[in-house]
Amino acid sequence: MSVQVAAWHDRQQRYIHYSTGVFRQLLDCLARPGKLNRLEDPIFLDDLPTYYSARRQAQVPFNRYALGALMTLLDGEVSFTLAADGHWLSESDAAVYWLALRTGSHSAAASEATFALFCDGKSGGLLRELSLGTLLEPELSATAIYCVERLADEREQLSGPEVISCALRGPGIPDLRRLQISGLEAHELELIKATRGVQQSSIQEQSSEPLALEIGQDNEQARTLSADEASDKKESDSSGDFALGVDVYLIDATGLCVGLPRTTRLVKG
């Protein structure tokens, strides 16, 4: 076996080991929203692509942990899109070509992309263009990855004027989890929140008519709830079966990752 072939084989084995472990961690992040997982360093990425940062006025390397996580999720049956400084990168961009070449995946329009990577902690409103799925096929919703500077839970206190604190509730969270984020624009949290909660339309199809719910074992007993009351009850009781919206990962510069699935409710502060 030649030296080149041996080196390629070793690289492939390291990638398989890496992707298997990181895939499990990404699943765990969505199963336990708000839990911080430290992703393995993708040491096989020795030629990171770059994007232009208007804030730094220079070409900046991609977050290697976020890029490695995205590569783990991509294959020939899914698609992706990349964004920086509030703009989608074109199909001819070097970073898009780099990622497609190494994963067998392909770039797509935002409304059709399976995964989206926001390189610099902001989407500039582009998050709204991603697919939310449909009531019949909620699994068609997109997954977004945000690159941020730092993540921390209630055990650590981040400082700085740009630190965002939020509380998380929903399936997979025993009671409440608190999360601190540095490097995510404050408006992005509102955009993320705006992509969820749309399962209410599956209750009453936007109708203002009262909704009758049967309680107890006797069908003769019924209580009529207003539309608002029914929506509140559905949101508190729902297991997310009909939830639409974008699943979100936040990955910081040290490799910490947190999942915010579309069933998770976010409260700032």
Side-chain angles (χ1 to χ4, degrees):
M1 182 181 294
S2 68
V3 175
Q4 291 85 354
V5 172
W8 177 86
H9 183 268
D10 179 66
R11 186 185 184 90
Q12 287 298 106
Q13 290 300 313
R14 283 187 293 164
Y15 177 69
I16 292 172
H17 174 78
Y18 165 86
S19 59
T20 301
V22 168
F23 186 73
R24 289 186 183 132
Q25 289 179 306
L26 294 175
L27 290 179
D28 187 63
C29 285
L30 289 186
R32 298 174 174 82
K35 176 190 174 186
L36 296 180
N37 280 310
R38 185 172 297 281
L39 303 181
E40 184 179 340
D41 187 356
I43 56 176
F44 56 88
L45 294 179
D46 51 7
D47 57 343
L48 291 176
T50 62
Y51 65 92
Y52 181 76
S53 171
R55 182 170 63 89
R56 300 184 185 181
Q57 295 291 301
Q59 291 290 128
V60 179
F62 277 66
N63 177 324
R64 62 188 297 108
Y65 297 98
L67 194 60
L70 179 58
M71 292 178 67
T72 296
L73 298 170
L74 294 181
D75 59 32
E77 297 184 358
V78 298
S79 58
F80 68 91
T81 185
L82 308 178
D85 278 326
H87 300 284
W88 297 116
L89 301 186
S90 69
E91 190 173 351
S92 60
D93 189 276
V96 175
Y97 178 77
W98 184 97
L99 191 57
L101 182 65
R102 287 162 175 77
T103 61
S105 185
H106 63 279
S107 65
S111 61
E112 301 174 357
T114 316
F115 298 97
L117 176 64
F118 298 110
C119 304
D120 46 9
K122 64 181 179 183
S123 73
L126 298 180
L127 187 69
R128 300 190 190 98
E129 300 180 22
L130 299 179
S131 172
L132 303 181
T134 67
L135 291 176
L136 293 179
E137 297 176 301
E139 72 278 3
L140 295 182
S141 65
T143 297
I145 299 176
Y146 280 87
C147 302
V148 299
E149 295 176 6
R150 286 288 310 280
L151 292 170
D153 54 22
E154 62 271 10
R155 296 171 296 179
E156 181 182 358
Q157 187 66 37
L158 297 182
S159 60
E162 298 181 353
V163 173
I164 298 174
S165 297
C166 60
L168 282 59
R169 293 184 183 276
I173 304 174
D175 180 27
L176 177 146
R177 284 197 177 109
R178 296 194 177 276
L179 180 67
Q180 299 174 76
I181 313 163
S182 175
L184 181 73
E185 286 199 351
H187 184 56
E188 290 299 324
L189 198 62
E190 298 304 317
L191 289 175
I192 294 172
K193 290 167 61 177
T195 68
R196 46 199 64 190
V198 292
Q199 69 265 33
Q200 291 180 5
S201 62
S202 65
I203 310 169
Q204 52 194 344
E205 298 297 332
Q206 304 291 341
S207 172
S208 59
E209 297 180 0
L211 181 67
L213 298 180
E214 302 292 339
I215 58 176
Q217 298 179 353
D218 189 348
N219 288 336
E220 294 181 359
Q221 292 180 319
R223 174 185 171 203
T224 299
L225 301 180
S226 69
D228 288 341
E229 289 175 322
S231 295
D232 290 342
K233 178 173 179 57
K234 179 66 176 181
E235 181 173 353
S236 63
D237 293 346
S238 173
S239 63
D241 290 343
F242 302 100
L244 305 182
V246 177
D247 291 326
V248 172
Y249 289 104
L250 306 178
I251 302 178
D252 74 9
T254 70
L256 285 177
C257 176
V258 67
L260 305 175
R262 56 185 182 266
T263 55
T264 299
R265 299 190 296 278
L266 309 174
V267 180
K268 188 176 180 180

